[in-house]
Amino acid sequence: MIFWVHLLNVTGSSSSLSTTAIMPRVLAYPPKYKRVQQAWVENLDTVEEQKLGLIDLHPDVFGAQPRIDIIHENIEWQTKYRQVRYDHTKTRAEVRGGGRKPWPQKGTGRARHGSIRSPLWRGGGLSHGPRSPKTYFYMLPFYTRVHGLISCLSVKLAQDDLHIVNSLEIPTDDPKYIEDLVDSRTWGPSVLLVDEMDIMPRNITAATDSILHYNLMPVYGLNVYSMLKHDTLVLTLAAVNRIEEKLLYQLNRPDICNVVKKYELNQNG
Amino acid sequence: MSLCLKSFTLICHSIKNPQLTCVRNRYHAEKIAKGPLLRRYGYKDKILQSGTLPHVDGPPISMPVYRPKNAWCEKRALFGQNDYIDILGNGELHPTRILYNVQSWLRGVQGNEYQILLRKRKVFNKGIVPIARPSKWKDLNKRIKYLYRFLNRKTKTGMSSD
């Protein structure tokens, strides 16, 4: 197994186009039969776009066959698996009252009844109504979720909705700066900015705080639903490295029997 | 017949008292002008008996004002975050352990009503619920007992109770 060492030399905001600013990436698990994907590394320091360099992206992560059905399965899973319905109706045993026979079986000309809370009666219990917490939980197979992420990233790159940025440092914390930046680069109405760590630079957090459709996310929070909800996906170089590292590890790990097991409750995942 | 008698008595009266003249206080035209006699006072004739009935009595009920949902509120903008934390994180954390909006005993639970009630009883047996909510606890046990008998004696194996 080849572990690659990443060297990033980030220059200041005043640098013009210089291809030596971004070191070329060495891909882990070098692709044998697929063509390497490539993407520009841009900057966020100025409103105008400056291309800092061209980097390679692993085709198994960013150039995979876009499986729309797997993406759909992932979206459905994300929407449903956390859903719990709490609507509840009482049965005839639970409705207050109704223990006594309302009138004798025979003699009165009325229909025969055993309790005033049977489902036939007004105010009676419901025999087949919704019952207590109903969960819709299920887990997708592990590799369906992995391939969901891979397909979505490939789709984003193929449709020009993926942009790689050297870092999320911006000069001001003015929301208008980010708006102008996104408008000038036609980055789409909604932007998802992904960095490696969950602690982001102060300026970008202050600027995007008031704009609800520009959202920040760490790498571990990335998911298919958010990638499709936001039109543009902006990854930092560190985030790209982390995503590739994780997904390639999942695709090539030797102990898949540990992860493809059926989900068991109370086994700490 | 009584009309003849009345006119006859009037004539006799006028003969006896020739200074009297008959005065009418009621005229037929006024009666007609007043309109027909109101019968069945307060009765509302229901012309429309079925189907969708219009709101003719009382204030008109208008359509509610349309309030579009904010698609970019925090909950909706970041929906699905951390669902892939076992893939993109260090592999120790499972997404079920992050379902903070779900009750703790329901996280990662799937099953029909009977299985969920059994789990509920197992979890809440240790706490205050059997003592603080005796009626609810009794209803829970009753329902479990009923579902056991129904599912095991009245249905085939493998049928769900939902």
Side-chain angles (χ1 to χ4, degrees), chain A:
Chain A
M1 209 184 287
I2 303 162
F3 288 97
W4 50 272
V5 176
H6 167 61
L7 299 165
L8 176 60
N9 187 13
V10 179
T11 57
S13 58
S14 56
S15 72
S16 55
L17 169 66
S18 54
T19 47
T20 53
I22 307 296
M23 299 292 284
R25 289 182 73 227
V26 176
L27 300 177
Y29 304 98
K32 281 186 240 176
Y33 308 112
K34 279 184 176 172
R35 205 172 305 152
V36 160
Q37 302 287 319
Q38 287 182 322
W40 287 109
V41 178
E42 295 152 22
N43 72 330
L44 280 184
D45 301 330
T46 56
V47 172
E48 298 85 38
E49 200 175 33
Q50 286 178 11
K51 293 182 164 51
L52 301 173
L54 195 68
I55 52 161
D56 293 342
L57 298 172
H58 203 292
D60 283 347
V61 175
F62 289 94
Q65 172 75 11
R67 289 284 302 271
I68 313 293
D69 58 330
I70 292 185
I71 294 176
H72 172 73
E73 273 178 31
N74 276 269
I75 299 282
E76 232 181 80
W77 170 73
Q78 282 192 272
T79 319
K80 285 184 186 169
Y81 89 110
R82 65 182 84 222
Q83 191 196 10
V84 177
R85 287 188 62 175
Y86 292 105
D87 45 349
H88 179 76
T89 52
K90 288 183 165 29
T91 53
R92 61 183 290 174
E94 289 159 7
V95 176
R96 189 83 176 175
R100 183 176 65 206
K101 192 169 173 63
W103 46 76
Q105 178 84 356
K106 300 184 78 62
T108 68
R110 311 187 66 173
R112 50 193 178 180
H113 288 292
S115 102
I116 57 163
R117 302 301 188 200
S118 94
L120 271 55
W121 285 63
R122 175 199 179 275
L126 224 60
S127 9
H128 298 294
R131 294 293 301 165
S132 65
K134 183 165 176 173
T135 55
Y136 292 87
F137 172 79
Y138 68 105
M139 283 306 290
L140 273 186
F142 185 82
Y143 282 99
T144 310
R145 290 192 292 136
V146 170
H147 283 290
L149 282 170
I150 286 170
S151 282
C152 207
L153 287 165
S154 310
V155 161
K156 284 287 182 196
L157 180 65
Q159 295 185 331
D160 297 332
D161 287 328
L162 185 78
H163 298 274
I164 300 180
V165 147
N166 58 344
S167 87
L168 291 181
E169 305 273 357
I170 55 172
T172 58
D173 60 358
D174 188 15
K176 200 171 176 317
Y177 175 83
I178 289 283
E179 278 176 13
D180 291 339
L181 191 147
V182 168
D183 284 337
S184 72
R185 302 186 193 189
T186 62
W187 269 5
S190 47
V191 178
L192 184 64
L193 300 138
V194 177
D195 198 2
E196 188 189 12
M197 298 308 298
D198 40 15
I199 298 172
M200 314 272 181
R202 189 202 164 271
N203 282 347
I204 191 115
T205 44
T208 53
D209 204 39
S210 53
I211 309 172
L212 301 175
H213 44 277
Y214 300 156
N215 291 305
L216 299 167
M217 220 181 245
V219 161
Y220 61 76
L222 195 62
N223 61 92
V224 177
Y225 189 99
S226 295
M227 281 202 271
L228 290 185
K229 188 172 169 77
H230 297 81
D231 291 279
T232 313
L233 181 63
V234 175
L235 303 172
T236 55
L237 208 44
V240 167
N241 294 331
R242 179 60 71 95
I243 290 170
E244 240 186 57
E245 177 200 333
K246 289 285 172 196
L247 288 175
L248 286 172
Y249 170 67
Q250 302 298 352
L251 288 173
N252 294 290
R253 63 191 292 169
D255 60 340
I256 62 169
C257 54
N258 292 339
V259 285
V260 300
K261 280 193 281 203
K262 189 173 181 292
Y263 173 72
E264 303 276 335
L265 253 188
N266 297 336
Q267 303 299 322
N268 284 339

Side-chain angles (χ1 to χ4, degrees), chain B:
Chain B
M1 177 61 194
S2 59
L3 206 67
C4 282
L5 201 65
K6 267 191 196 158
S7 53
F8 185 68
T9 48
L10 265 171
I11 291 162
C12 288
H13 219 252
S14 66
I15 291 166
K16 281 190 209 161
N17 307 312
Q19 305 304 318
L20 275 176
T21 45
C22 302
V23 175
R24 292 198 84 88
N25 294 318
R26 288 178 295 134
Y27 290 94
H28 183 70
E30 281 171 20
K31 180 189 173 185
I32 300 302
K34 223 170 157 184
L37 183 65
L38 177 62
R39 299 188 188 279
R40 296 179 288 275
Y41 172 75
Y43 172 72
K44 283 184 191 157
D45 191 14
K46 284 184 186 161
I47 300 163
L48 303 159
Q49 301 279 344
S50 63
T52 52
L53 300 174
H55 291 283
V56 289
D57 310 313
I61 300 169
S62 51
M63 286 280 287
V65 174
Y66 170 59
R67 286 192 69 189
K69 292 201 170 115
N70 182 8
W72 292 103
C73 63
E74 196 185 330
K75 197 173 71 161
R76 291 197 186 104
L78 299 175
F79 180 82
Q81 193 179 25
N82 303 334
D83 280 347
Y84 294 77
I85 197 152
D86 55 337
I87 300 171
L88 295 169
N90 67 352
E92 299 295 323
L93 201 57
H94 197 269
T96 45
R97 288 171 63 188
I98 299 179
L99 297 174
Y100 300 128
N101 286 343
V102 177
Q103 295 173 19
S104 62
W105 65 279
L106 276 177
R107 282 173 202 156
V109 173
Q110 61 185 117
N112 55 30
E113 189 204 342
Y114 181 56
Q115 292 159 346
I116 295 213
L117 286 179
L118 283 176
R119 181 172 165 83
K120 189 174 184 181
R121 184 167 69 174
K122 188 168 78 165
V123 167
F124 289 115
N125 214 355
K126 301 169 196 164
I128 196 69
V129 170
I131 301 161
R133 299 277 176 267
S135 303
K136 267 219 160 100
W137 188 250
K138 185 163 191 225
D139 283 344
L140 173 72
N141 285 314
K142 270 166 58 177
R143 184 73 185 164
I144 289 175
K145 207 166 160 187
Y146 166 77
L147 282 172
Y148 173 87
R149 279 180 292 139
F150 179 79
L151 292 171
N152 288 323
R153 299 177 195 173
K154 297 268 188 175
T155 61
K156 296 281 189 193
T157 311
M159 271 181 76
S160 80
S161 73
D162 289 338

